[in-house]
Structures are given as structure tokens and as C-alpha cells.
Amino acid sequence: MIKSIFVILLVAGLLWLARTTVKRLQQSRPEAARVVSHDTVKCQYCEAYIPASDALQSAGKSFCNQQHLNAWKQSV
């Protein structure tokens, strides 16, 4: 009798742990999916990823701001 109660409690605990873990994983994935789903480009100067719609383009390269574009032009 005590053995059966122990097994039931053990199974219930494992199910609760699995459910909690799945919920945590599901909550953290939408953020990552949102970031990856946007078209991003890498700044040629600082190598940060930015949305393609916000990037400055010059000579086929992408830049996150005007200062990085100017600095890259001076270094070339």
C-alpha cells in the first residue's frame, strides 16, 4: 500500500517537473523566434546584427549608423 502511494507520488512529481520544463522552454522560444524571423544584416564595421530596414547601405555593405559608415570609408 505505501509502495503504491510512493510510486503515484513519484510519477506525479515527474509529470509536474516535465510540464514545468516544457512551459519554460515554450516561453523562452518565442522571443528567439521573433528575433530570427526578421531579415537582419551585419554591420561591416562593428559586426552587430540589425534589421535590414534600419541599415545604411554603401558599396554593397551594411552599416548600423552613419558614424560606422564614415569610419569604414576612412579605413578603406
Side-chain angles (χ1 to χ4, degrees), residues 23-65:
K23 280 186 178 183
R24 285 183 187 161
L25 290 174
Q26 287 174 343
Q27 288 175 351
S28 65
R29 286 187 183 179
E31 289 179 23
R34 274 186 258 136
V35 172
V36 174
S37 68
H38 296 292
D39 291 334
T40 58
V41 293
K42 184 166 58 169
C43 176
Q44 186 68 29
Y45 187 76
C46 69
E47 299 183 351
Y49 286 91
I50 54 173
S53 60
D54 294 342
L56 300 174
Q57 301 291 325
S58 178
K61 310 279 188 215
S62 299
F63 300 90
C64 60
N65 59 45

Side-chain angles (χ1 to χ4, degrees), residues 8-35:
I8 291 170
L9 290 175
L10 181 64
V11 169
L14 290 174
L15 289 174
W16 175 80
L17 182 63
R19 183 178 169 198
T20 304
T21 303
V22 168
K23 280 186 178 183
R24 285 183 187 161
L25 290 174
Q26 287 174 343
Q27 288 175 351
S28 65
R29 286 187 183 179
E31 289 179 23
R34 274 186 258 136
V35 172

